[in-house]
Amino acid sequence: KLSDRKLCYLKEFYGVTGEYEYKLFLANLIKIYADLCVKKENIPSALQKAVRDMKKSENLKAGSERFITLSGYSKTHLTRLMRKYYGVSVHEFIRDTRLEAAYNSLVLTSLYPEDISEELGYSSIHYFSRQFKKVSGMTPSEYASSVKLMSEQD
């Protein structure tokens, strides 16, 4: 449990209001740190830019074809580079980035899972829910409910 002093500090400097937001904040910090630890000096700048641009919702919605276009590489070459520098396939990167955006949206907005699914480019709410449950162990609706419950307890 967070102390009142730590919560006050986080609230004041980072706008974090509760324990769950604090955990999300830490998870995002860890993700940023992990991204920084990847040997960026060896990664082609076109790939770095494409990865950064793919994190925008309009590009995520468009999917792998947009990623290929943004990178300027062929599908085969982009797949090879993603495996080499990021350790994931193009499909895995897009899936993970979409799910990360979904988690953030469920915690930080009042959007319904159906809206988030559409915003992130999933073909259906059912596919989105299956992917989400596979990773988190609960459906987006269950996750959103648990987040609301946690924030009410803070």
Side-chain angles (χ1 to χ4, degrees), residues 8-130:
C8 185
Y9 177 81
L10 290 168
K11 184 184 242 181
E12 185 177 326
F13 289 100
Y14 299 105
V16 175
T17 58
E19 181 135 358
Y20 192 78
E21 286 84 3
Y22 171 71
K23 289 177 183 176
L24 182 66
F25 174 76
L26 283 181
N28 283 322
L29 277 181
I30 291 168
K31 174 97 171 91
I32 290 167
Y33 179 75
D35 287 347
L36 290 173
C37 288
V38 174
K39 294 179 181 164
K40 297 284 185 192
E41 69 275 357
N42 296 332
I43 300 174
S45 59
L47 181 60
Q48 286 182 45
K49 184 176 181 335
V51 165
R52 190 175 49 249
D53 289 348
M54 272 309 291
K55 294 183 180 184
K56 297 176 183 172
S57 64
E58 66 270 14
N59 293 330
L60 273 177
K61 187 172 186 172
S64 61
E65 290 305 315
R66 176 72 55 88
F67 195 21
I68 292 164
T69 302
L70 288 170
S71 73
Y73 298 117
S74 70
K75 182 177 182 177
T76 305
H77 193 58
L78 179 59
T79 300
R80 197 175 309 120
L81 290 173
M82 286 300 292
R83 282 259 182 239
K84 179 178 180 181
Y85 292 109
Y86 292 94
V88 294
S89 70
V90 170
H91 174 75
E92 291 167 333
F93 170 75
I94 291 171
R95 181 202 62 212
D96 294 347
T97 306
R98 281 178 172 167
L99 289 173
E100 181 181 336
Y103 279 108
N104 289 335
S105 292
L106 287 166
V107 171
L108 302 173
T109 71
S110 58
L111 291 173
Y112 292 103
E114 294 82 5
D115 298 327
I116 294 169
S117 168
E118 184 179 324
E119 183 180 291
L120 295 175
Y122 282 92
S123 56
S124 74
I125 182 64
H126 305 292
Y127 180 68
F128 168 61
S129 293
R130 281 195 311 274

